Amino acid sequence: MTEAWNPLYAPAYPAERYAILARRIGAILKTDNDVLLVQAEAVVALEAVATSLARPGLAALNIVTSSYGGWFGQWLRRGGAEVIEIVARPGRPIEAETIAAALDANPGVRALALVHAESASGILNPLPEIVALAQARGIVTVVDAVASVGGHALDVTGLSIDIAVIGPQKALRGPAGVSALSVSPRAWELIMHDDAPRNSILSLAELKAWVNGGRGALPGTPAPLEFFALEAALDRVEAEGVEQTVARHEKAASATRAGLSALGASLWVPAEQASNLVTTISTPTGVEPTSVIRLAAGLGVDLTAGIGTGLSHLIRLNHTGPRATFQTVLANVVTYGEALRQAGLAADVGAASEAVVRAYSG
C-alpha cells in the first residue's frame, strides 16, 4: 500500500513515483509496452494520440460507434490524415465483417481506431476480431479502452494492440483528471515522424522523451491529488485482483440481464454484444424513459437515458465500478419493474428479484 499524502509535508507528487505508476498500469493492461501518463482526462489522451499520428499522407480507418469515435476522426482530419470512416447504426456494435470489407477496399490504411466498450449505449465491439484483421495487414491499432479497462478482459500484448488509452474513472473507480496509454514499438515508428507535434500537451513525442529520460518528472505542472487518487485506485484493483474485478462486472451484467428477463424487458442488444458496464433496454410503448428516470431518482436509484443520436428512448442500468454490486443491481432491476407496474404493465418484481439472487448465488 502507498503512504497517505499529507499536504503539509508533501506538497508535490514525488517524481520517482511516476515510473512506478506506469509499471502498475502496464501490469493491469498486461503489457511491457511503454506506458505514458497524461495529466488530464482521457479525452485529452485520445486527442493527443490522434494529433500525434495525423499528418498528410496517412490513411486511417476510424470506427464510429459513439461521439468519441466521431471526435477521433475529426482530430485525425485536422492533422491532414485521410480518414475512411465506418459508422455503425445508432447504439449498435460494428461487425467484424464490415471492417474486413473496408480494409480490403482500402489497402493503404496504416492505422485503425475503435472504442472497445461504450457506456453511452452499453455495446461491446468485437475487439479481438478487429485487431486480428488489422494485425494481419500490418496496421497500427488504436483502442479507446477508457470504459472497458477493469470491466472487460484486456490483454494488450496478447491481442497485439498498439495503442490503448485508458481512464481510471469508470470500472477502476479512480479519478477522472488523469489518464494513461500504452504504446508499442510499431506505433512509435508511426508517431515519431519529422512533423510530429512538439511543445504541446497533445505531443506524445514529448512523453517519449520522458520515457527515454528515465521517467522522472512529467512535463508540465504536476497534479498531485489526481496521482495520489490514482495510486489509491490501483491499490484497490490490485487488492481485489484484475481478473476478479472483471469477474465482478461480468456477474453484475449477467444478474442484471437475468432480472430484466424475468420482467419481460427488451434488451437493446444481445448479451454477447453487450458490455459488462451498462445494460440498456428499450422501454415498452406507452412508457416514457423520463418517467422511469424520475421515479428512480425519487427512490435514490440512478437510471439514465441512452446517450447519442436516436438513443433517448433507451434506459441504462449502470453496473460499473462501485455499482457492480448485488445491492445496486437488485435496486436497478426492482426499480425498473416498479416503473412498469406504475405504468399499468404486468411486471413480476418478485420473480425478477429471485433471478438476480440466483445469478449471484450460482
Side-chain angles (χ1 to χ4, degrees), residues 70 144 163 173 190 197 225 230 234 249 273 281 336 341 348:
D144 175 347
I163 300 176
R173 298 183 291 166
L190 197 59
L225 290 176
L230 176 57
L234 296 180
H249 283 81
Q273 295 181 331
I281 50 179
Y336 183 68
R341 289 171 57 176
D348 193 337

Side-chain angles (χ1 to χ4, degrees), residues 159-360:
L159 292 176
S160 297
I161 296 170
D162 291 296
I163 300 176
V165 180
I166 69 164
Q169 73 271 23
K170 296 192 177 182
L172 299 182
R173 298 183 291 166
V178 62
S179 51
L181 61 147
S182 63
V183 184
S184 73
R186 185 172 63 165
W188 278 128
E189 291 177 6
L190 197 59
I191 290 168
M192 300 300 289
H193 54 88
D194 291 340
D195 296 324
R198 299 277 184 172
N199 301 317
S200 168
I201 193 174
L202 301 178
S203 171
L204 296 188
E206 294 291 343
L207 290 176
K208 176 63 169 171
W210 170 69
V211 171
N212 294 344
R215 296 179 174 86
L218 283 168
T221 302
L225 290 176
E226 297 292 339
F227 284 108
F228 280 103
L230 176 57
E231 282 188 345
L234 296 180
D235 287 343
R236 290 191 293 268
V237 172
E238 290 163 0
E240 182 178 21
V242 178
E243 288 76 14
Q244 287 71 29
T245 301
V246 172
R248 177 163 53 82
H249 283 81
E250 290 174 345
K251 179 75 76 173
S254 62
T256 297
R257 288 152 199 168
L260 291 172
S261 179
L263 290 173
S266 176
L267 296 179
W268 177 242
V269 292
E272 62 272 14
Q273 295 181 331
S275 80
N276 293 332
L277 312 167
V278 172
T279 296
T280 47
I281 50 179
S282 182
T283 55
T285 302
V287 178
E288 289 296 327
T290 53
S291 65
V292 177
I293 293 167
R294 192 180 309 115
L295 170 67
L299 296 173
V301 176
D302 187 24
L303 302 186
T304 55
I307 298 175
T309 304
L311 301 181
S312 61
H313 66 289
L314 300 179
I315 293 290
R316 296 186 302 161
L317 285 75
N318 191 337
H319 34 82
T320 307
R323 296 182 177 93
T325 64
F326 168 76
Q327 293 85 349
T328 298
V329 168
L330 183 63
N332 287 345
V333 170
V334 168
T335 298
Y336 183 68
E338 180 59 26
L340 295 178
R341 289 171 57 176
Q342 291 197 17
L345 300 176
D348 193 337
V349 174
S353 301
E354 291 175 3
V356 172
V357 171
R358 282 196 302 271
Y360 266 97

Side-chain angles (χ1 to χ4, degrees), residues 52 68 83 85 151 197 278 289 329:
S52 296
Y68 294 102
V83 180
E85 210 146 73
V278 172
V329 168

Side-chain angles (χ1 to χ4, degrees), residues 17-223:
R17 283 160 76 162
Y18 290 120
I20 297 171
L21 268 178
R23 287 196 297 270
R24 296 173 74 184
I25 291 169
I28 288 174
L29 297 178
K30 298 184 178 179
T31 185
D32 292 325
N33 289 341
D34 290 333
V35 172
L36 313 179
L37 302 172
V38 177
Q39 300 187 93
E41 63 168 312
V43 71
V44 176
L46 287 164
E47 185 173 359
V49 171
T51 301
S52 296
L53 283 172
R55 62 184 183 273
L58 177 78
L61 184 70
N62 185 47
I63 300 167
V64 179
T65 50
S66 71
S67 57
Y68 294 102
W71 294 346
F72 199 85
Q74 292 175 20
W75 297 326
L76 286 171
R77 282 188 287 270
R78 182 183 65 194
E82 175 194 353
V83 180
I84 300 98
E85 210 146 73
I86 305 297
V87 182
R89 291 179 294 154
R92 302 291 183 178
I94 201 70
E95 295 179 349
E97 294 79 7
T98 301
I99 303 308
L103 291 175
D104 288 343
N106 297 277
V109 164
R110 297 187 65 194
L112 178 150
L114 78 156
V115 177
H116 186 190
E118 300 278 12
S119 57
S121 59
I123 62 99
L124 179 71
N125 282 312
L127 178 66
E129 293 89 340
I130 293 174
V131 172
L133 289 169
Q135 176 72 9
R137 294 164 172 79
I139 295 170
V140 167
T141 50
V142 179
V143 177
D144 175 347
V146 175
S148 63
V149 63
H152 287 272
L154 187 63
D155 185 344
V156 166
T157 295
L159 292 176
S160 297
I161 296 170
D162 291 296
I163 300 176
V165 180
I166 69 164
Q169 73 271 23
K170 296 192 177 182
L172 299 182
R173 298 183 291 166
V178 62
S179 51
L181 61 147
S182 63
V183 184
S184 73
R186 185 172 63 165
W188 278 128
E189 291 177 6
L190 197 59
I191 290 168
M192 300 300 289
H193 54 88
D194 291 340
D195 296 324
R198 299 277 184 172
N199 301 317
S200 168
I201 193 174
L202 301 178
S203 171
L204 296 188
E206 294 291 343
L207 290 176
K208 176 63 169 171
W210 170 69
V211 171
N212 294 344
R215 296 179 174 86
L218 283 168
T221 302

